[in-house]
Amino acid sequence: THTITAQGDPAGVNWGPKADMKSTYFDGSGDYFTIPSHADLNFGTGHYTIEFWINTHQSGAWIWYNADGDTGIRLAIGVNGSNSSSGGQIDLNEQVSNSDQHFTSRARIDDGKWHHVAFCRDGTTRRLFVDGKIEARDTTTNRNLASGDAGHIGRKEGRHLG
């Protein structure tokens, strides 16, 4: 069991991608969740899957961040949460000692519709799926994502999902 602390006023809402699902609404003005550092969030060099549903009009925002110490996962809409040329695309950055290795979708998810996203790393193979379709696949050097940092859902350093 992990304690998740709400910051701001993220609101639970009675709508989601499926009729029996609920979601959280982030209004973009200081709403996020914090999860204390825990071994479950320390992926190291192991296999991992990060999976979630998202519905947004944002072309640049932070979804997940646990790299305050420059090692960990940085997950955003747009590379580094920006609406630059990759705006609206899902980007996962495996950051080790402030060295970035981005993995970005081709599809945009900023259309106000529900999208299912999954990132999988199995050994040195990484895959990115959006709505069940493979968007990207590559090989990596099996980076050590040993982060002792807390996790943040919906923010990074004052920039919020909304």
Side-chain angles (χ1 to χ4, degrees):
T1 303
H2 302 286
T3 301
I4 299 174
T5 304
Q7 307 292 331
D9 61 352
V13 293
N14 288 322
W15 56 276
K18 306 285 184 194
D20 61 342
M21 296 174 77
K22 297 182 180 188
S23 62
T24 300
Y25 175 74
F26 297 90
D27 66 13
S29 63
D31 302 341
Y32 63 96
F33 293 110
T34 298
I35 304 170
S37 176
H38 190 277
D40 290 347
L41 303 177
N42 184 346
F43 298 139
T45 58
H47 308 299
Y48 70 85
T49 298
I50 299 172
E51 174 183 24
F52 57 94
W53 286 92
I54 188 166
N55 179 331
T56 188
H57 288 285
Q58 292 274 59
S59 60
W62 288 94
I63 298 168
W64 169 263
Y65 182 82
N66 78 327
D68 286 334
D70 296 329
T71 294
I73 296 289
R74 297 165 46 133
L75 178 56
I77 304 167
V79 172
N80 288 327
S82 75
N83 58 3
S84 62
S85 61
S86 64
Q89 297 165 296
I90 292 288
D91 177 68
L92 179 117
N93 178 2
E94 292 183 336
Q95 187 179 54
V96 175
S97 300
N98 208 28
S99 171
D100 298 335
Q101 190 171 61
H102 292 275
F103 194 48
T104 308
S105 70
R106 294 180 308 269
R108 295 181 67 106
I109 54 92
D110 59 344
D111 58 3
K113 297 177 183 175
W114 284 105
H115 296 280
H116 182 258
V117 177
F119 289 93
C120 305
R121 183 174 81 179
D122 181 12
T124 59
T125 301
R126 298 189 305 174
R127 291 178 205 79
L128 163 57
F129 299 87
V130 175
D131 297 329
K133 297 176 187 159
I134 192 151
E135 281 288 313
R137 179 186 178 133
D138 73 358
T139 56
T140 181
T141 57
N142 208 14
R143 296 165 68 86
N144 188 349
L145 302 173
S147 173
D149 297 328
H152 305 285
I153 299 170
R155 80 168 280 273
K156 175 201 177 259
E157 298 169 351
R159 295 190 300 181
H160 301 91
L161 179 63

